[in-house]
Amino acid sequence: MSEADAPQGTWRNIPSRSWMGALVAVVILWLVAGYATGMLSLSFILANATIAGFLALAGTAQMIVIASGPGNFDLSLPFIITFGAYVMSAGIAGDGNIAGSLALTLLLGALVGAVNAALIVRLRIPAIVATLASGYIIYSFIVAIQSGGFSRIGGLFEASLRMRVWGISGALAVSIVTLLVVAILLSRTVFGLQLHALGQNGEAARLAGIRRGWLVLGAFVLSGVLAAWLGALLTTYQGGVSADVGRSYLLGSVAAVVVGGTRIAGGVTSVLGTAIGALVLTLAQSDLILLQFSIGSQYVIQGLIVLVTVCLGAIRSPERR
């Protein structure tokens, strides 16, 4: 999960290890957990890593959209996750046809991403407004179908996600492989390099012949596919589905991106940083539960973590020098 290679020039001065602060935070949170439990244990991190892997997938989906330009956020993300979970559990492709259900789930995620891109590029609707509107439309479908018949995925797919080898779950392994594929796509392909260039300077990218519409389409489609994939993983791993399965991933996905050191202004991505940011947030919540903090206090402290990260990033930003 390497940070995307930066094109020469405009983002040469951006720190290439912006996730180091988040990595230090992981170590500190691990020590806090050791203090709270009276024992330092690698199993504590591994136990939280599966949940962090799911959050990292959501954060990466959000990061891709953010990278396409200032102000681009995908507010439909939690709805796509939930809808993907329902479609995967519905067995529309036939009972026991896991591959068919998964293909349909990913196709619907791509379709929602394409609709979002069309609203933004063709109708020039701001990304926040367009994705929020499409999210509510998806939610109406969720409400309409949630009383239908849904079942556990079962089979080899569920068994592989639930199995553990040396404390590492199959779900975590799948998340890591997915993140590696996305990292390669963003750092070693023309699409990834052009996406970064567009987010850095839209006008310069246009003059260089980069077609914004196709890149925005690719970013939102990829985000939709990742969100649907996450929904499929969640419903399979958890053995069920609910209308709230994607709710926590809206703010959580943005927080993971921010804590991981990625610029909200766009043009820079770090899959590794987002994954570490997701682990920071997951460990922080676990530590606060161990220390018996109230729910309200947990939200306040997690918000402060994000706020401090943003402030530190602003202080280190080359634009301030």
Side-chain angles (χ1 to χ4, degrees), residues 263-298:
R263 295 193 325 168
I264 293 298
V268 178
T269 62
S270 175
V271 175
L272 176 59
T274 299
I276 295 176
L279 184 57
V280 168
L281 294 170
T282 305
L283 288 175
Q285 185 174 24
S286 295
D287 283 348
L288 293 173
I289 293 173
L290 287 174
L291 295 172
Q292 299 183 346
F293 279 76
S294 66
I295 295 296
S297 299
Q298 291 179 34

Side-chain angles (χ1 to χ4, degrees), residues 75-76 79 131-141:
L75 300 189
S76 66
F79 303 104
T131 56
L132 182 61
S134 64
Y136 279 127
I137 293 173
I138 297 170
Y139 184 70
S140 67
F141 284 112

Side-chain angles (χ1 to χ4, degrees), residues 2 15 24 27 36 59 64 71 87 91 122 153 155 200 215 224 234 268 273 289:
S2 60
V24 172
V27 176
I64 293 168
V87 172
R122 294 297 182 184
I153 306 303
Q200 279 291 314
L215 286 176
L234 286 171
V268 178
I289 293 173

Side-chain angles (χ1 to χ4, degrees), residues 192-301:
L193 295 177
Q194 289 187 349
L195 181 68
H196 291 114
L198 176 66
Q200 279 291 314
N201 191 321
E203 180 61 21
R206 184 187 67 82
L207 294 174
I210 294 176
R211 303 178 66 178
R212 174 179 177 272
W214 287 107
L215 286 176
V216 172
L217 174 63
F220 276 92
V221 167
L222 182 55
S223 175
V225 169
L226 284 174
W229 173 235
L230 174 56
L233 293 179
L234 286 171
T235 189
T236 304
Y237 182 77
Q238 295 174 357
V241 62
S242 71
D244 296 328
V245 68
R247 177 179 296 179
S248 64
Y249 291 102
L250 176 56
L251 297 180
S253 63
V254 177
V257 173
V258 172
V259 174
T262 298
R263 295 193 325 168
I264 293 298
V268 178
T269 62
S270 175
V271 175
L272 176 59
T274 299
I276 295 176
L279 184 57
V280 168
L281 294 170
T282 305
L283 288 175
Q285 185 174 24
S286 295
D287 283 348
L288 293 173
I289 293 173
L290 287 174
L291 295 172
Q292 299 183 346
F293 279 76
S294 66
I295 295 296
S297 299
Q298 291 179 34
Y299 285 136
V300 170
I301 294 175

